[in-house]
Amino acid sequence: MIDRSLSVLKVALGSFKGRVAAAWLLVVIVAAVFAPLLTPYAYDLQTLSQAFQPPSASHWLGTDEFGRDLMTRLMYGARTSLSVSVVAIGLSVSLGLVFGAIAGYFGGRVDRAITVVVDLTWSFPEILLALILVAIIGPGVTGTLLAIGVAYLAQFTRLARGQIMSLRSETFVEAARSLGASDSFILAHHLIPNTLAPVLVTAMLATGDAIILEATLGFFGLGAQPPTPSWGGMMSSGTAQLFRAPGIILFPGLAVALTVIAINIFGDALVAAMDVRSRERKA
Protein backbone atom coordinates (compact mmCIF):
# COMPACT_ATOMS: atom_id res chain seq x y z
CA MET A 1 0.00 0.00 0.00
CA ILE A 2 2.81 2.40 0.95
CA ASP A 3 4.88 1.47 -2.11
CA ARG A 4 1.87 2.04 -4.36
CA SER A 5 1.17 5.44 -2.78
CA LEU A 6 4.81 6.51 -3.19
CA SER A 7 4.76 5.36 -6.80
CA VAL A 8 1.60 7.37 -7.53
CA LEU A 9 3.10 10.42 -5.79
CA LYS A 10 6.28 10.11 -7.87
CA VAL A 11 4.25 10.01 -11.08
CA ALA A 12 2.18 13.02 -9.97
CA LEU A 13 5.35 15.01 -9.28
CA GLY A 14 6.69 14.07 -12.69
CA SER A 15 4.69 16.83 -14.40
CA PHE A 16 5.74 20.48 -14.26
CA LYS A 17 2.33 21.63 -13.04
CA GLY A 18 2.33 18.97 -10.33
CA ARG A 19 5.73 20.12 -9.07
CA VAL A 20 4.75 23.80 -9.05
CA ALA A 21 1.50 23.07 -7.21
CA ALA A 22 3.30 20.85 -4.69
CA ALA A 23 5.95 23.54 -4.14
CA TRP A 24 3.34 26.20 -3.39
CA LEU A 25 1.49 23.89 -1.01
CA LEU A 26 4.76 23.12 0.74
CA VAL A 27 5.46 26.85 1.15
CA VAL A 28 2.00 27.45 2.63
CA ILE A 29 2.29 24.49 5.01
CA VAL A 30 5.75 25.52 6.19
CA ALA A 31 4.57 29.11 6.72
CA ALA A 32 1.57 27.88 8.73
CA VAL A 33 3.49 25.40 10.88
CA PHE A 34 6.56 27.55 11.55
CA ALA A 35 4.87 30.96 11.68
CA PRO A 36 6.20 31.80 15.18
CA LEU A 37 9.76 31.15 13.96
CA LEU A 38 9.45 32.97 10.63
CA THR A 39 8.18 36.33 11.85
CA PRO A 40 9.37 38.61 14.68
CA TYR A 41 5.86 39.98 15.25
CA ALA A 42 2.87 38.65 17.16
CA TYR A 43 -0.29 38.31 15.08
CA ASP A 44 -2.24 40.46 17.56
CA LEU A 45 0.43 43.12 18.17
CA GLN A 46 -1.21 46.49 17.56
CA THR A 47 0.86 49.61 16.82
CA LEU A 48 -1.62 52.29 15.83
CA SER A 49 1.13 54.70 14.84
CA GLN A 50 2.18 52.17 12.16
CA ALA A 51 -1.31 51.72 10.67
CA PHE A 52 -1.68 51.45 6.87
CA GLN A 53 2.05 51.21 6.23
CA PRO A 54 2.95 50.21 2.65
CA PRO A 55 5.18 47.19 2.01
CA SER A 56 8.70 47.81 3.30
CA ALA A 57 11.75 46.03 4.66
CA SER A 58 10.16 46.01 8.12
CA HIS A 59 6.73 44.91 6.96
CA TRP A 60 6.99 42.99 3.69
CA LEU A 61 3.26 43.21 2.96
CA GLY A 62 2.55 46.38 4.94
CA THR A 63 0.28 46.78 7.95
CA ASP A 64 -3.46 46.87 8.54
CA GLU A 65 -5.69 49.47 10.18
CA PHE A 66 -4.37 48.54 13.64
CA GLY A 67 -0.72 48.54 12.64
CA ARG A 68 -0.49 44.74 12.66
CA ASP A 69 1.99 43.11 10.30
CA LEU A 70 0.08 41.65 7.33
CA MET A 71 2.67 38.98 6.53
CA THR A 72 2.46 37.72 10.10
CA ARG A 73 -1.32 37.61 10.06
CA LEU A 74 -1.28 35.92 6.66
CA MET A 75 0.94 33.11 7.99
CA TYR A 76 -1.09 32.67 11.16
CA GLY A 77 -4.25 32.89 9.04
CA ALA A 78 -2.91 30.00 6.96
CA ARG A 79 -2.52 28.03 10.17
CA THR A 80 -6.17 28.66 11.09
CA SER A 81 -7.68 28.16 7.63
CA LEU A 82 -5.66 25.06 6.72
CA SER A 83 -6.03 23.34 10.09
CA VAL A 84 -9.79 23.88 10.20
CA SER A 85 -10.24 22.70 6.60
CA VAL A 86 -7.96 19.65 6.89
CA VAL A 87 -9.39 18.52 10.23
CA ALA A 88 -12.97 19.04 8.99
CA ILE A 89 -12.34 16.98 5.84
CA GLY A 90 -10.55 14.37 7.93
CA LEU A 91 -13.65 14.14 10.11
CA SER A 92 -15.84 13.78 7.02
CA VAL A 93 -13.58 11.08 5.57
CA SER A 94 -13.44 9.10 8.81
CA LEU A 95 -17.18 9.13 9.41
CA GLY A 96 -17.95 8.71 5.71
CA LEU A 97 -15.77 5.60 5.49
CA VAL A 98 -17.50 4.06 8.51
CA PHE A 99 -21.05 4.88 7.43
CA GLY A 100 -20.42 4.08 3.78
CA ALA A 101 -18.72 0.79 4.59
CA ILE A 102 -21.57 -0.31 6.86
CA ALA A 103 -24.22 0.72 4.33
CA GLY A 104 -22.46 -0.84 1.34
CA TYR A 105 -21.51 -4.10 3.06
CA PHE A 106 -24.70 -4.96 4.93
CA GLY A 107 -27.26 -3.37 2.57
CA GLY A 108 -30.97 -3.73 3.33
CA ARG A 109 -32.54 -1.59 6.02
CA VAL A 110 -29.18 -0.43 7.33
CA ASP A 111 -28.24 0.82 3.89
CA ARG A 112 -31.59 2.57 3.41
CA ALA A 113 -31.45 4.25 6.83
CA ILE A 114 -27.95 5.61 6.34
CA THR A 115 -28.64 6.63 2.74
CA VAL A 116 -31.79 8.56 3.68
CA VAL A 117 -29.98 10.55 6.38
CA VAL A 118 -27.00 11.20 4.10
CA ASP A 119 -29.17 12.26 1.18
CA LEU A 120 -31.03 14.64 3.49
CA THR A 121 -27.81 16.53 4.22
CA TRP A 122 -26.76 16.32 0.56
CA SER A 123 -29.96 18.03 -0.53
CA PHE A 124 -28.67 21.31 0.95
CA PRO A 125 -25.86 23.34 -0.66
CA GLU A 126 -22.69 23.15 1.47
CA ILE A 127 -22.72 26.84 2.31
CA LEU A 128 -26.37 26.80 3.36
CA LEU A 129 -25.91 23.70 5.52
CA ALA A 130 -22.77 25.20 7.07
CA LEU A 131 -24.58 28.47 7.85
CA ILE A 132 -27.43 26.56 9.51
CA LEU A 133 -25.05 24.47 11.62
CA VAL A 134 -22.92 27.46 12.64
CA ALA A 135 -26.10 29.29 13.64
CA ILE A 136 -26.98 26.32 15.87
CA ILE A 137 -23.50 25.59 17.25
CA GLY A 138 -22.29 29.16 17.39
CA PRO A 139 -19.52 31.04 15.57
CA GLY A 140 -15.89 30.16 16.12
CA VAL A 141 -13.32 27.60 15.09
CA THR A 142 -15.18 24.62 16.60
CA GLY A 143 -18.48 25.56 15.00
CA THR A 144 -16.84 26.10 11.62
CA LEU A 145 -14.96 22.80 11.81
CA LEU A 146 -18.09 20.80 12.65
CA ALA A 147 -20.15 22.63 10.04
CA ILE A 148 -17.67 21.88 7.25
CA GLY A 149 -17.28 18.30 8.43
CA VAL A 150 -21.02 17.64 8.28
CA ALA A 151 -21.39 19.53 4.99
CA TYR A 152 -19.02 17.11 3.19
CA LEU A 153 -20.02 13.94 5.05
CA ALA A 154 -22.53 12.83 2.40
CA GLN A 155 -19.94 12.99 -0.38
CA PHE A 156 -17.55 10.55 1.31
CA THR A 157 -20.31 8.28 2.62
CA ARG A 158 -21.68 7.89 -0.90
CA LEU A 159 -18.22 7.32 -2.37
CA ALA A 160 -17.25 4.72 0.23
CA ARG A 161 -20.63 2.97 -0.11
CA GLY A 162 -20.21 2.64 -3.87
CA GLN A 163 -16.67 1.30 -3.53
CA ILE A 164 -17.68 -1.25 -0.89
CA MET A 165 -20.67 -2.45 -2.93
CA SER A 166 -18.42 -3.07 -5.92
CA LEU A 167 -15.88 -5.01 -3.83
CA ARG A 168 -18.01 -7.04 -1.44
CA SER A 169 -18.60 -9.84 -3.97
CA GLU A 170 -14.96 -10.14 -5.02
CA THR A 171 -13.13 -13.44 -4.69
CA PHE A 172 -10.79 -12.30 -1.91
CA VAL A 173 -13.78 -11.31 0.24
CA GLU A 174 -15.43 -14.69 -0.31
CA ALA A 175 -12.15 -16.41 0.53
CA ALA A 176 -11.81 -14.43 3.77
CA ARG A 177 -15.41 -15.24 4.70
CA SER A 178 -14.92 -18.96 4.00
CA LEU A 179 -11.90 -18.95 6.32
CA GLY A 180 -14.10 -17.71 9.15
CA ALA A 181 -13.25 -14.01 9.09
CA SER A 182 -15.82 -11.81 10.79
CA ASP A 183 -17.63 -8.99 9.03
CA SER A 184 -15.70 -6.39 11.03
CA PHE A 185 -12.38 -8.07 10.10
CA ILE A 186 -13.28 -8.15 6.42
CA LEU A 187 -14.30 -4.49 6.48
CA ALA A 188 -11.26 -3.30 8.42
CA HIS A 189 -8.58 -5.41 6.72
CA HIS A 190 -9.86 -5.98 3.19
CA LEU A 191 -12.62 -3.66 2.02
CA ILE A 192 -11.87 -0.28 3.61
CA PRO A 193 -8.13 -0.33 2.71
CA ASN A 194 -9.09 -0.96 -0.93
CA THR A 195 -11.35 2.11 -0.95
CA LEU A 196 -8.76 4.50 0.49
CA ALA A 197 -7.05 5.58 -2.75
CA PRO A 198 -10.08 7.21 -4.46
CA VAL A 199 -11.39 8.49 -1.14
CA LEU A 200 -8.10 10.21 -0.25
CA VAL A 201 -7.76 11.82 -3.67
CA THR A 202 -11.34 13.08 -3.40
CA ALA A 203 -10.52 14.32 0.10
CA MET A 204 -7.65 16.38 -1.23
CA LEU A 205 -9.85 18.00 -3.86
CA ALA A 206 -12.56 18.59 -1.23
CA THR A 207 -10.00 20.33 0.99
CA GLY A 208 -9.80 23.13 -1.58
CA ASP A 209 -13.57 23.55 -1.42
CA ALA A 210 -13.39 23.46 2.38
CA ILE A 211 -10.83 26.28 2.39
CA ILE A 212 -13.22 28.39 0.32
CA LEU A 213 -16.10 27.50 2.64
CA GLU A 214 -14.04 28.33 5.73
CA ALA A 215 -13.01 31.65 4.16
CA THR A 216 -16.66 32.39 3.33
CA LEU A 217 -17.76 31.73 6.90
CA GLY A 218 -14.86 33.83 8.16
CA PHE A 219 -15.82 36.64 5.79
CA PHE A 220 -19.32 36.63 7.29
CA GLY A 221 -17.83 36.80 10.79
CA LEU A 222 -18.85 33.23 11.64
CA GLY A 223 -15.40 31.63 11.57
CA ALA A 224 -12.42 32.23 13.86
CA GLN A 225 -13.19 35.21 16.07
CA PRO A 226 -10.87 38.24 16.45
CA PRO A 227 -8.05 38.62 17.19
CA THR A 228 -7.36 35.10 15.83
CA PRO A 229 -6.56 35.62 12.14
CA SER A 230 -8.04 33.64 9.28
CA TRP A 231 -7.93 34.39 5.58
CA GLY A 232 -11.67 34.98 5.40
CA GLY A 233 -11.65 37.18 8.48
CA MET A 234 -8.79 39.25 7.06
CA MET A 235 -10.71 39.81 3.83
CA SER A 236 -13.77 40.84 5.82
CA SER A 237 -11.86 43.46 7.79
CA GLY A 238 -10.24 44.69 4.58
CA THR A 239 -13.53 45.56 2.86
CA ALA A 240 -13.82 48.77 4.86
CA GLN A 241 -10.27 49.75 3.83
CA LEU A 242 -10.50 48.62 0.21
CA PHE A 243 -9.46 51.92 -1.38
CA ARG A 244 -7.11 53.11 1.35
CA ALA A 245 -5.18 49.85 1.80
CA PRO A 246 -6.25 47.27 -0.82
CA GLY A 247 -3.52 44.87 0.29
CA ILE A 248 -5.50 43.99 3.43
CA ILE A 249 -8.09 42.20 1.32
CA LEU A 250 -5.93 41.45 -1.73
CA PHE A 251 -3.19 39.37 -0.08
CA PRO A 252 -5.42 36.89 1.79
CA GLY A 253 -7.65 36.67 -1.28
CA LEU A 254 -4.64 35.73 -3.41
CA ALA A 255 -3.54 33.23 -0.76
CA VAL A 256 -6.94 31.52 -0.87
CA ALA A 257 -7.05 31.51 -4.68
CA LEU A 258 -3.50 30.22 -5.21
CA THR A 259 -3.81 27.56 -2.52
CA VAL A 260 -7.10 26.22 -3.87
CA ILE A 261 -5.75 26.24 -7.44
CA ALA A 262 -2.62 24.38 -6.29
CA ILE A 263 -4.71 21.77 -4.47
CA ASN A 264 -6.88 21.21 -7.54
CA ILE A 265 -3.87 20.95 -9.88
CA PHE A 266 -2.03 18.52 -7.62
CA GLY A 267 -5.23 16.55 -7.04
CA ASP A 268 -5.74 16.25 -10.80
CA ALA A 269 -2.12 15.10 -11.13
CA LEU A 270 -2.76 12.40 -8.53
CA VAL A 271 -5.90 11.26 -10.37
CA ALA A 272 -3.96 11.07 -13.64
CA ALA A 273 -1.13 9.18 -11.90
CA MET A 274 -3.60 6.67 -10.46
CA ASP A 275 -5.10 6.12 -13.91
CA VAL A 276 -1.64 5.49 -15.32
CA ARG A 277 -0.87 2.95 -12.60
CA SER A 278 -4.25 1.29 -13.20
CA ARG A 279 -3.61 1.00 -16.93
CA GLU A 280 -0.12 -0.41 -16.30
CA ARG A 281 -1.51 -3.10 -13.99
CA LYS A 282 -4.15 -4.08 -16.57
CA ALA A 283 -1.55 -4.22 -19.32
Side-chain angles (χ1 to χ4, degrees), residues 72-82 214 229-231 234:
T72 299
R73 290 185 62 78
L74 198 66
M75 288 191 289
Y76 277 94
R79 171 179 289 191
T80 302
S81 297
L82 291 183
E214 189 278 335
S230 70
W231 288 342
M234 292 176 66

Side-chain angles (χ1 to χ4, degrees), residues 29 53 55 60 63 103 123 126 128 131 186 192 198-199 221-222 243 247 260 281-282:
I29 292 171
Q53 291 294 310
W60 288 7
T63 60
S123 63
E126 285 87 356
L128 178 59
L131 287 172
I186 292 173
I192 291 180
V199 169
L222 301 174
F243 297 103
V260 172
R281 287 197 302 273
K282 291 179 180 178

Side-chain angles (χ1 to χ4, degrees), residues 44-216:
D44 56 352
L45 177 63
Q46 298 185 16
T47 309
L48 296 179
S49 61
Q50 298 292 319
F52 300 116
Q53 291 294 310
S56 64
S58 300
H59 303 282
W60 288 7
L61 298 181
T63 60
D64 64 8
E65 68 273 24
F66 297 108
R68 298 174 297 193
D69 182 67
L70 279 178
M71 175 69 84
T72 299
R73 290 185 62 78
L74 198 66
M75 288 191 289
Y76 277 94
R79 171 179 289 191
T80 302
S81 297
L82 291 183
S83 61
V84 168
S85 302
V86 170
V87 172
I89 294 300
L91 178 64
S92 293
V93 169
S94 301
L95 294 178
L97 277 173
V98 173
F99 294 151
I102 293 173
Y105 184 77
F106 293 103
R109 293 181 179 179
V110 174
D111 182 22
R112 287 194 294 271
I114 293 176
T115 303
V116 167
V117 174
V118 165
D119 286 348
L120 183 62
T121 63
W122 213 356
S123 63
F124 293 90
E126 285 87 356
I127 181 61
L128 178 59
L129 182 60
L131 287 172
I132 293 172
L133 292 173
V134 169
I136 295 173
I137 301 170
V141 171
T142 302
T144 301
L145 190 154
L146 293 176
I148 296 174
V150 173
Y152 288 94
L153 176 60
Q155 178 178 352
F156 294 106
T157 302
R158 276 288 189 174
L159 178 59
R161 174 181 176 272
Q163 292 290 317
I164 295 295
M165 290 181 70
S166 66
L167 292 171
R168 67 183 180 184
S169 60
E170 292 289 332
T171 305
F172 67 90
V173 176
E174 295 296 334
R177 191 178 291 117
S178 65
L179 291 173
S182 63
D183 292 332
S184 59
F185 183 90
I186 292 173
L187 282 169
H189 293 84
H190 294 288
L191 292 178
I192 291 180
N194 280 285
T195 68
L196 285 179
V199 169
L200 292 179
V201 171
T202 303
M204 182 171 185
L205 295 173
T207 301
D209 295 335
I211 290 174
I212 295 176
L213 183 54
E214 189 278 335
T216 303

